[in-house]
Amino acid sequence: MDTEILKKDVVIIGSGPAGLTAAIYSARANLNPLVVDAPANTAKQTTPGGQLMITTEVENYPGFAEGIQGPELMEEFRKQALRFGTEFLETWITEVDLSERPFKLYTLIIASGASAKWLGIPGEAKVPDGFGGNGVSACATCDGPLPAFRNKVLVVVGGGDTAMEEATFLTRYAAKVYVVHRRDKLRASKIMQEKAFHNEKIEFVWNSGVEEILGTPEDGVTGVRLSNLQTGEERTFPCAGVFVAIGHKPNTELFKGQLDMDEVGYLLTSGQSTATNIPGVFACGDVQDSVYRQAITAAGTGCMSAIDAERFLDHLPVAMPSGDEVTVDGEHITPDHQAIITADGHMISNKS
Ligand SMILES: Cc1cc2nc3c(=O)[nH]c(=O)nc-3n(C[C@H](O)[C@H](O)[C@H](O)COP(=O)(O)OP(=O)(O)OC[C@H]3O[C@@H](n4cnc5c(N)ncnc54)[C@H](O)[C@@H]3O)c2cc1C
Protein backbone atom coordinates (compact mmCIF):
# COMPACT_ATOMS: atom_id res chain seq x y z
CA MET A 1 0.00 0.00 0.00
CA ASP A 2 1.31 3.47 -0.89
CA THR A 3 1.85 5.78 2.04
CA GLU A 4 1.62 9.49 1.56
CA ILE A 5 3.33 11.69 4.11
CA LEU A 6 1.38 14.87 4.73
CA LYS A 7 3.16 17.62 6.63
CA LYS A 8 0.71 19.86 8.44
CA ASP A 9 0.87 22.18 11.41
CA VAL A 10 -2.62 21.27 12.52
CA VAL A 11 -4.61 18.15 11.70
CA ILE A 12 -8.25 18.03 12.78
CA ILE A 13 -10.21 14.78 12.94
CA GLY A 14 -13.91 15.42 12.33
CA SER A 15 -15.85 18.02 10.38
CA GLY A 16 -18.81 18.58 12.71
CA PRO A 17 -19.35 21.95 14.44
CA ALA A 18 -16.28 21.41 16.69
CA GLY A 19 -13.86 20.40 13.92
CA LEU A 20 -14.97 23.10 11.48
CA THR A 21 -14.84 25.83 14.11
CA ALA A 22 -11.32 24.70 15.03
CA ALA A 23 -10.55 24.84 11.28
CA ILE A 24 -11.93 28.39 10.87
CA TYR A 25 -9.83 29.67 13.77
CA SER A 26 -6.63 27.86 12.87
CA ALA A 27 -6.96 28.72 9.16
CA ARG A 28 -7.33 32.41 10.06
CA ALA A 29 -4.20 32.04 12.20
CA ASN A 30 -2.33 30.86 9.06
CA LEU A 31 -1.87 27.34 10.41
CA ASN A 32 -3.16 25.71 7.18
CA PRO A 33 -5.26 23.06 8.88
CA LEU A 34 -6.17 19.75 7.31
CA VAL A 35 -9.63 18.43 8.27
CA VAL A 36 -10.07 14.68 7.94
CA ASP A 37 -13.54 13.19 8.04
CA ALA A 38 -15.05 9.83 7.21
CA PRO A 39 -16.77 9.57 3.80
CA ALA A 40 -20.57 9.39 3.61
CA ASN A 41 -21.78 5.92 4.51
CA THR A 42 -25.45 5.15 5.12
CA ALA A 43 -24.85 1.95 7.09
CA LYS A 44 -22.37 3.60 9.45
CA GLN A 45 -24.52 6.78 9.54
CA THR A 46 -21.50 8.97 8.77
CA THR A 47 -21.57 12.10 6.63
CA PRO A 48 -18.89 14.77 6.55
CA GLY A 49 -20.46 17.56 8.60
CA GLY A 50 -21.25 15.34 11.57
CA GLN A 51 -24.45 14.70 13.50
CA LEU A 52 -26.33 17.79 12.29
CA MET A 53 -26.31 16.30 8.78
CA ILE A 54 -28.92 13.79 9.94
CA THR A 55 -31.33 16.27 11.45
CA THR A 56 -33.81 18.72 10.00
CA GLU A 57 -34.63 21.99 11.77
CA VAL A 58 -32.05 23.48 14.16
CA GLU A 59 -33.84 26.16 16.16
CA ASN A 60 -31.29 26.92 18.87
CA TYR A 61 -28.09 27.80 17.01
CA PRO A 62 -27.56 31.52 17.63
CA GLY A 63 -27.63 33.82 14.63
CA PHE A 64 -30.52 32.11 12.82
CA ALA A 65 -33.68 33.73 14.18
CA GLU A 66 -35.97 31.62 12.02
CA GLY A 67 -33.99 28.41 12.49
CA ILE A 68 -31.93 26.61 9.88
CA GLN A 69 -31.78 23.09 8.47
CA GLY A 70 -28.88 21.07 9.98
CA PRO A 71 -27.17 20.25 6.63
CA GLU A 72 -27.50 23.90 5.53
CA LEU A 73 -25.85 25.10 8.75
CA MET A 74 -22.95 22.69 8.28
CA GLU A 75 -22.54 23.81 4.64
CA GLU A 76 -22.09 27.39 5.93
CA PHE A 77 -19.48 26.20 8.49
CA ARG A 78 -17.64 24.37 5.71
CA LYS A 79 -17.69 27.33 3.30
CA GLN A 80 -16.32 29.57 6.05
CA ALA A 81 -13.49 27.11 6.78
CA LEU A 82 -12.71 26.82 3.04
CA ARG A 83 -12.65 30.60 2.64
CA PHE A 84 -9.58 30.80 4.87
CA GLY A 85 -7.75 27.95 3.16
CA THR A 86 -8.71 24.81 5.11
CA GLU A 87 -7.93 21.60 3.26
CA PHE A 88 -10.21 18.59 3.47
CA LEU A 89 -9.54 14.88 3.19
CA GLU A 90 -12.27 12.23 3.23
CA THR A 91 -11.06 9.05 4.86
CA TRP A 92 -11.56 7.01 8.02
CA ILE A 93 -8.68 7.36 10.42
CA THR A 94 -8.29 3.82 11.67
CA GLU A 95 -5.13 4.14 13.73
CA VAL A 96 -3.14 6.86 15.42
CA ASP A 97 0.26 6.61 17.04
CA LEU A 98 0.71 9.35 19.59
CA SER A 99 3.72 7.75 21.29
CA GLU A 100 6.40 9.37 19.13
CA ARG A 101 6.51 12.96 18.10
CA PRO A 102 6.48 13.45 14.42
CA PHE A 103 3.94 15.90 15.74
CA LYS A 104 6.73 18.05 17.07
CA LEU A 105 5.83 20.02 13.97
CA TYR A 106 2.09 19.77 14.15
CA THR A 107 -0.77 19.46 16.58
CA LEU A 108 -3.73 17.16 16.48
CA ILE A 109 -7.23 18.39 17.24
CA ILE A 110 -9.68 15.57 17.89
CA ALA A 111 -13.27 16.51 17.04
CA SER A 112 -14.58 13.04 16.21
CA GLY A 113 -17.87 13.52 18.08
CA ALA A 114 -20.17 10.98 19.62
CA SER A 115 -23.06 8.90 18.36
CA ALA A 116 -26.38 8.31 20.03
CA LYS A 117 -27.10 4.65 20.72
CA TRP A 118 -30.19 3.41 18.90
CA LEU A 119 -32.53 0.50 19.50
CA GLY A 120 -32.22 -0.94 15.99
CA ILE A 121 -35.98 -1.49 15.62
CA PRO A 122 -38.28 -0.97 12.61
CA GLY A 123 -39.45 2.63 12.20
CA GLU A 124 -36.42 4.14 13.94
CA ALA A 125 -34.25 4.85 10.87
CA LYS A 126 -34.01 8.28 9.37
CA VAL A 127 -36.74 9.45 6.95
CA PRO A 128 -37.58 8.01 4.35
CA ASP A 129 -36.66 4.56 5.74
CA GLY A 130 -38.30 5.29 9.11
CA PHE A 131 -39.45 8.21 11.25
CA GLY A 132 -36.05 9.55 12.36
CA GLY A 133 -36.44 13.33 12.07
CA ASN A 134 -40.23 12.96 11.77
CA GLY A 135 -41.13 12.05 15.36
CA VAL A 136 -38.12 9.98 16.43
CA SER A 137 -35.21 11.70 18.12
CA ALA A 138 -32.26 11.05 20.44
CA CYS A 139 -32.03 14.62 21.75
CA ALA A 140 -34.79 16.26 23.81
CA THR A 141 -32.93 19.57 24.15
CA CYS A 142 -32.61 19.72 20.37
CA ASP A 143 -36.05 18.54 19.28
CA GLY A 144 -38.38 18.70 22.32
CA PRO A 145 -39.49 22.31 21.71
CA LEU A 146 -40.49 21.61 18.08
CA PRO A 147 -44.23 22.15 17.35
CA ALA A 148 -44.70 18.45 16.49
CA PHE A 149 -44.15 17.51 20.14
CA ARG A 150 -46.04 20.30 21.94
CA ASN A 151 -49.00 19.19 24.09
CA LYS A 152 -48.61 15.64 22.78
CA VAL A 153 -48.10 12.25 24.39
CA LEU A 154 -44.43 11.26 24.11
CA VAL A 155 -42.44 8.12 24.86
CA VAL A 156 -38.91 8.13 26.28
CA VAL A 157 -37.01 4.85 26.08
CA GLY A 158 -34.40 4.09 28.76
CA GLY A 159 -33.85 3.84 32.49
CA GLY A 160 -30.65 5.75 33.19
CA ASP A 161 -29.84 9.37 34.01
CA THR A 162 -30.11 10.38 30.34
CA ALA A 163 -33.66 9.02 30.13
CA MET A 164 -34.73 10.78 33.36
CA GLU A 165 -33.19 14.05 32.17
CA GLU A 166 -34.84 13.80 28.75
CA ALA A 167 -38.24 12.89 30.25
CA THR A 168 -38.11 15.72 32.79
CA PHE A 169 -37.10 18.22 30.12
CA LEU A 170 -39.88 17.08 27.77
CA THR A 171 -42.60 17.71 30.41
CA ARG A 172 -42.10 21.44 29.70
CA TYR A 173 -43.80 20.93 26.36
CA ALA A 174 -45.56 17.58 26.28
CA ALA A 175 -49.03 16.71 27.62
CA LYS A 176 -47.63 13.48 29.07
CA VAL A 177 -44.35 11.58 28.96
CA TYR A 178 -44.23 7.78 29.32
CA VAL A 179 -40.85 6.29 30.19
CA VAL A 180 -40.60 2.78 28.79
CA HIS A 181 -38.03 0.65 30.61
CA ARG A 182 -37.04 -2.99 30.22
CA ARG A 183 -36.79 -3.66 33.93
CA ASP A 184 -38.87 -2.86 37.04
CA LYS A 185 -36.16 -0.61 38.48
CA LEU A 186 -34.27 2.36 37.10
CA ARG A 187 -30.50 2.57 36.65
CA ALA A 188 -30.63 6.36 37.10
CA SER A 189 -29.10 8.05 40.15
CA LYS A 190 -31.37 8.53 43.16
CA ILE A 191 -31.82 12.27 42.71
CA MET A 192 -32.78 11.90 39.04
CA GLN A 193 -35.27 9.14 39.89
CA GLU A 194 -36.87 11.25 42.63
CA LYS A 195 -37.31 14.17 40.26
CA ALA A 196 -38.97 11.96 37.66
CA PHE A 197 -41.19 10.13 40.20
CA HIS A 198 -42.44 13.45 41.58
CA ASN A 199 -43.23 14.90 38.18
CA GLU A 200 -46.98 14.60 37.56
CA LYS A 201 -46.53 14.50 33.80
CA ILE A 202 -44.23 11.45 33.87
CA GLU A 203 -45.48 7.87 34.05
CA PHE A 204 -43.53 4.63 33.82
CA VAL A 205 -44.18 1.58 31.69
CA TRP A 206 -42.13 -1.14 33.43
CA ASN A 207 -40.72 -4.42 32.13
CA SER A 208 -41.43 -3.36 28.57
CA GLY A 209 -39.57 -3.02 25.31
CA VAL A 210 -40.39 -0.98 22.21
CA GLU A 211 -40.52 -3.44 19.32
CA GLU A 212 -41.51 -1.07 16.52
CA ILE A 213 -42.24 2.61 15.91
CA LEU A 214 -45.50 3.11 14.02
CA GLY A 215 -46.68 6.00 11.87
CA THR A 216 -47.23 7.39 8.40
CA PRO A 217 -45.06 9.70 6.27
CA GLU A 218 -47.78 12.40 6.50
CA ASP A 219 -48.46 12.27 10.25
CA GLY A 220 -45.07 11.09 11.49
CA VAL A 221 -45.12 8.90 14.59
CA THR A 222 -48.56 7.70 15.71
CA GLY A 223 -47.55 5.06 18.24
CA VAL A 224 -45.22 2.26 19.31
CA ARG A 225 -45.65 -1.50 19.52
CA LEU A 226 -44.77 -2.49 23.07
CA SER A 227 -44.07 -5.94 24.44
CA ASN A 228 -44.27 -6.90 28.08
CA LEU A 229 -40.98 -8.71 28.65
CA GLN A 230 -42.44 -10.82 31.49
CA THR A 231 -45.70 -11.98 29.89
CA GLY A 232 -44.79 -11.62 26.20
CA GLU A 233 -48.03 -9.68 25.66
CA GLU A 234 -47.91 -7.07 22.88
CA ARG A 235 -49.96 -3.90 22.51
CA THR A 236 -50.08 -0.70 20.49
CA PHE A 237 -49.40 2.40 22.54
CA PRO A 238 -50.43 5.70 20.87
CA CYS A 239 -47.92 8.57 21.03
CA ALA A 240 -46.71 11.42 18.81
CA GLY A 241 -42.99 11.13 19.45
CA VAL A 242 -40.29 8.73 20.61
CA PHE A 243 -37.09 9.86 22.31
CA VAL A 244 -34.45 7.15 22.47
CA ALA A 245 -32.37 7.83 25.60
CA ILE A 246 -30.17 4.79 26.07
CA GLY A 247 -26.87 6.67 26.02
CA HIS A 248 -24.18 7.93 23.68
CA LYS A 249 -20.93 6.46 22.48
CA PRO A 250 -17.99 8.81 21.92
CA ASN A 251 -15.94 8.05 18.80
CA THR A 252 -12.70 7.33 20.66
CA GLU A 253 -11.99 3.66 19.97
CA LEU A 254 -8.78 4.46 18.07
CA PHE A 255 -7.34 6.47 20.97
CA LYS A 256 -7.74 3.70 23.58
CA GLY A 257 -4.54 3.06 25.51
CA GLN A 258 -3.04 6.35 24.31
CA LEU A 259 -5.28 9.12 25.58
CA ASP A 260 -6.91 9.32 29.01
CA MET A 261 -10.68 8.82 28.93
CA ASP A 262 -13.49 8.24 31.40
CA GLU A 263 -15.19 4.85 31.86
CA VAL A 264 -17.60 5.51 28.97
CA GLY A 265 -14.80 6.59 26.62
CA TYR A 266 -15.10 10.41 26.66
CA LEU A 267 -11.66 12.02 26.32
CA LEU A 268 -10.43 13.83 29.42
CA THR A 269 -9.23 17.37 28.90
CA SER A 270 -7.65 19.87 31.21
CA GLY A 271 -10.73 21.90 32.11
CA GLN A 272 -8.67 25.07 31.76
CA SER A 273 -7.82 24.20 28.18
CA THR A 274 -8.72 21.52 25.64
CA ALA A 275 -5.39 19.74 26.21
CA THR A 276 -5.44 15.96 26.60
CA ASN A 277 -2.75 14.08 28.54
CA ILE A 278 -0.45 14.18 25.48
CA PRO A 279 1.10 17.59 24.75
CA GLY A 280 0.01 18.87 21.33
CA VAL A 281 -3.15 16.73 21.21
CA PHE A 282 -6.35 18.67 21.90
CA ALA A 283 -9.96 17.50 22.01
CA CYS A 284 -13.17 19.44 21.45
CA GLY A 285 -16.89 18.91 20.94
CA ASP A 286 -18.97 15.87 21.86
CA VAL A 287 -15.91 13.61 21.96
CA GLN A 288 -14.98 15.18 25.30
CA ASP A 289 -18.39 16.37 26.49
CA SER A 290 -20.84 13.94 28.06
CA VAL A 291 -22.92 16.75 29.56
CA TYR A 292 -23.95 19.49 27.09
CA ARG A 293 -23.62 17.81 23.65
CA GLN A 294 -24.89 20.79 21.64
CA ALA A 295 -23.69 22.30 18.37
CA ILE A 296 -22.90 25.61 20.06
CA THR A 297 -20.84 24.03 22.84
CA ALA A 298 -19.03 21.90 20.26
CA ALA A 299 -18.27 25.04 18.23
CA GLY A 300 -17.16 26.84 21.44
CA THR A 301 -14.67 24.16 22.42
CA GLY A 302 -13.57 23.91 18.77
CA CYS A 303 -12.58 27.57 19.00
CA MET A 304 -10.75 26.86 22.27
CA SER A 305 -8.83 23.96 20.68
CA ALA A 306 -7.64 26.12 17.80
CA ILE A 307 -6.47 28.85 20.18
CA ASP A 308 -4.74 26.23 22.37
CA ALA A 309 -3.03 24.81 19.27
CA GLU A 310 -1.93 28.29 18.18
CA ARG A 311 -0.45 28.98 21.62
CA PHE A 312 1.30 25.63 21.63
CA LEU A 313 2.84 26.20 18.19
CA ASP A 314 3.93 29.67 19.31
CA HIS A 315 6.01 27.95 22.06
CA LEU A 316 3.65 29.25 24.76
CA PRO A 317 2.60 27.07 27.72
CA VAL A 318 -0.74 25.23 27.59
CA ALA A 319 -2.56 23.93 30.72
CA MET A 320 -2.58 20.13 30.99
CA PRO A 321 -5.06 17.90 32.88
CA SER A 322 -2.26 17.19 35.41
CA GLY A 323 -2.30 20.86 36.47
CA ASP A 324 1.14 21.73 35.10
CA GLU A 325 1.66 23.60 31.86
CA VAL A 326 3.76 22.41 28.93
CA THR A 327 5.36 23.92 25.87
CA VAL A 328 6.07 22.40 22.47
CA ASP A 329 9.76 22.42 23.47
CA GLY A 330 9.03 19.91 26.26
CA GLU A 331 9.27 22.38 29.18
CA HIS A 332 6.94 21.80 32.15
CA ILE A 333 5.81 24.66 34.37
CA THR A 334 4.73 23.36 37.78
CA PRO A 335 1.08 23.93 38.86
CA ASP A 336 2.22 26.53 41.45
CA HIS A 337 4.15 28.37 38.70
CA GLN A 338 7.26 28.38 40.89
CA ALA A 339 9.50 26.21 38.70
CA ILE A 340 10.20 25.21 35.11
CA ILE A 341 11.47 21.71 34.33
CA THR A 342 13.33 21.79 31.04
CA ALA A 343 13.09 19.05 28.39
CA ASP A 344 16.41 17.57 29.62
CA GLY A 345 15.15 17.41 33.23
CA HIS A 346 16.74 20.53 34.77
CA MET A 347 14.66 22.52 37.22
CA ILE A 348 14.92 26.29 37.08
CA SER A 349 13.08 28.98 39.00
CA ASN A 350 10.12 30.64 37.28
CA LYS A 351 10.30 33.71 39.50
CA SER A 352 11.06 36.97 37.80
C1 LIG B 1 -30.67 14.01 15.36
C2 LIG B 1 -29.85 15.06 16.07
C3 LIG B 1 -30.37 16.33 16.17
C4 LIG B 1 -29.62 17.32 16.82
N1 LIG B 1 -30.13 18.58 16.90
C5 LIG B 1 -29.42 19.56 17.50
C6 LIG B 1 -29.93 20.87 17.60
O1 LIG B 1 -31.07 21.16 17.16
N2 LIG B 1 -29.16 21.82 18.21
C7 LIG B 1 -27.93 21.53 18.73
O2 LIG B 1 -27.26 22.43 19.25
N3 LIG B 1 -27.43 20.28 18.67
C8 LIG B 1 -28.14 19.29 18.08
N4 LIG B 1 -27.65 18.00 18.05
C9 LIG B 1 -26.35 17.75 18.69
C10 LIG B 1 -25.21 18.20 17.78
O3 LIG B 1 -25.41 17.64 16.51
C11 LIG B 1 -23.87 17.75 18.36
O4 LIG B 1 -23.71 18.27 19.66
C12 LIG B 1 -22.71 18.27 17.48
O5 LIG B 1 -22.87 17.82 16.14
C13 LIG B 1 -21.37 17.79 18.02
O6 LIG B 1 -20.40 18.27 17.16
P1 LIG B 1 -18.95 17.63 17.05
O7 LIG B 1 -18.24 18.44 16.04
O8 LIG B 1 -18.37 17.46 18.39
O9 LIG B 1 -19.17 16.14 16.50
P2 LIG B 1 -20.01 15.50 15.30
O10 LIG B 1 -21.04 16.41 14.78
O11 LIG B 1 -20.43 14.17 15.84
O12 LIG B 1 -18.92 15.28 14.16
C14 LIG B 1 -17.89 14.34 14.30
C15 LIG B 1 -17.37 13.96 12.93
O13 LIG B 1 -16.16 13.16 13.09
C16 LIG B 1 -16.16 12.12 12.14
N5 LIG B 1 -15.34 11.01 12.62
C17 LIG B 1 -15.52 10.28 13.77
N6 LIG B 1 -14.55 9.35 13.88
C18 LIG B 1 -13.75 9.49 12.77
C19 LIG B 1 -12.58 8.82 12.31
N7 LIG B 1 -12.04 7.81 13.00
N8 LIG B 1 -12.03 9.20 11.14
C20 LIG B 1 -12.56 10.23 10.42
N9 LIG B 1 -13.67 10.92 10.82
C21 LIG B 1 -14.24 10.54 11.98
C22 LIG B 1 -17.65 11.73 12.01
O14 LIG B 1 -17.89 11.08 10.78
C23 LIG B 1 -18.34 13.09 12.12
O15 LIG B 1 -18.54 13.68 10.85
C24 LIG B 1 -28.35 17.01 17.40
C25 LIG B 1 -27.84 15.71 17.27
C26 LIG B 1 -28.57 14.74 16.61
C27 LIG B 1 -28.01 13.35 16.48
Side-chain angles (χ1 to χ4, degrees), residues 12-21 36-40 44-62 68 70 73-74 77 89-96 110-116 118 132-133 136-139 141-143 146 248 250-255 284-289 292-299 301-302:
I12 299 167
I13 304 179
S15 68
L20 290 180
T21 305
V36 186
D37 204 315
K44 289 185 178 168
Q45 285 213 5
T46 56
T47 316
Q51 294 171 63
L52 286 186
M53 299 299 286
I54 59 160
T55 192
T56 48
E57 184 87 1
V58 177
E59 286 189 324
N60 54 9
Y61 199 86
I68 182 166
L73 177 61
M74 294 321 299
F77 269 67
L89 180 67
E90 275 190 22
T91 186
W92 269 105
I93 298 195
T94 50
E95 205 182 321
V96 288
I110 300 168
S112 50
S115 316
W118 294 98
V136 178
S137 170
C139 178
T141 314
C142 313
D143 297 331
L146 294 176
H248 283 77
N251 301 320
T252 53
E253 203 60 40
L254 71 162
F255 308 112
C284 53
D286 284 14
V287 77
Q288 52 85 58
D289 173 15
Y292 303 105
R293 290 196 300 253
Q294 290 295 290
I296 185 69
T297 46
T301 51

Side-chain angles (χ1 to χ4, degrees), residues 39-337:
N41 182 313
T42 320
K44 289 185 178 168
Q45 285 213 5
T46 56
T47 316
Q51 294 171 63
L52 286 186
M53 299 299 286
I54 59 160
T55 192
T56 48
E57 184 87 1
V58 177
E59 286 189 324
N60 54 9
Y61 199 86
F64 298 92
E66 302 305 321
I68 182 166
Q69 296 290 307
E72 214 180 303
L73 177 61
M74 294 321 299
E75 184 54 32
E76 291 301 318
F77 269 67
R78 196 180 179 91
K79 281 198 273 190
Q80 200 172 349
L82 272 169
R83 184 180 148 208
F84 300 110
T86 302
E87 283 181 53
F88 287 88
L89 180 67
E90 275 190 22
T91 186
W92 269 105
I93 298 195
T94 50
E95 205 182 321
V96 288
D97 181 2
L98 304 174
S99 60
E100 251 338 288
R101 294 194 126 248
F103 64 101
K104 199 170 202 167
L105 294 175
Y106 65 81
T107 57
L108 179 63
I109 295 179
I110 300 168
S112 50
S115 316
K117 289 187 191 160
W118 294 98
L119 297 162
I121 55 170
E124 188 187 45
K126 200 183 160 218
V127 168
D129 300 321
F131 302 102
N134 189 17
V136 178
S137 170
C139 178
T141 314
C142 313
D143 297 331
L146 294 176
F149 300 119
R150 286 185 183 249
N151 301 312
K152 299 281 169 52
V153 171
L154 304 178
V155 159
V156 169
V157 188
D161 277 352
T162 310
M164 295 313 104
E165 199 176 323
E166 302 271 278
T168 306
F169 179 82
L170 287 170
T171 58
R172 294 170 190 224
Y173 314 98
K176 195 96 193 165
V177 177
Y178 289 88
V179 176
V180 176
H181 184 42
R182 299 180 67 79
R183 299 197 295 148
D184 61 357
K185 278 192 214 74
L186 298 172
R187 265 182 299 109
S189 57
K190 198 157 182 279
I191 186 165
M192 299 296 282
Q193 293 198 24
E194 294 291 311
K195 283 202 187 304
F197 287 143
H198 286 111
N199 191 318
E200 286 176 354
K201 281 192 177 178
I202 299 180
E203 276 191 39
F204 289 84
V205 183
W206 302 108
N207 297 312
S208 298
V210 178
E211 303 298 331
E212 185 179 358
I213 298 169
L214 310 166
T216 62
E218 301 74 40
D219 299 329
V221 169
T222 55
V224 286
R225 184 160 56 83
L226 291 184
S227 73
N228 183 310
L229 300 175
Q230 287 184 330
T231 62
E233 186 198 333
E234 293 206 347
R235 63 180 166 137
T236 297
F237 189 90
C239 65
V242 178
F243 287 79
V244 179
I246 54 173
H248 283 77
K249 193 178 173 316
N251 301 320
T252 53
E253 203 60 40
L254 71 162
F255 308 112
K256 278 210 169 118
Q258 303 192 68
L259 293 177
D260 291 345
M261 41 186 89
D262 69 12
E263 65 283 0
V264 181
Y266 285 95
L267 296 182
L268 297 178
T269 52
S270 148
Q272 290 176 45
S273 78
T274 57
T276 66
N277 56 301
I278 296 190
V281 180
F282 303 93
C284 53
D286 284 14
V287 77
Q288 52 85 58
D289 173 15
S290 61
V291 180
Y292 303 105
R293 290 196 300 253
Q294 290 295 290
I296 185 69
T297 46
T301 51
C303 155
M304 289 163 66
S305 267
I307 292 174
D308 290 336
E310 269 169 62
R311 284 184 60 91
F312 192 71
L313 291 168
D314 280 345
H315 301 259
L316 296 172
V318 170
M320 299 294 288
S322 55
D324 52 1
E325 294 176 16
V326 299
T327 68
V328 70
D329 308 306
E331 296 153 333
H332 282 245
I333 297 117
T334 54
D336 60 8
H337 273 213

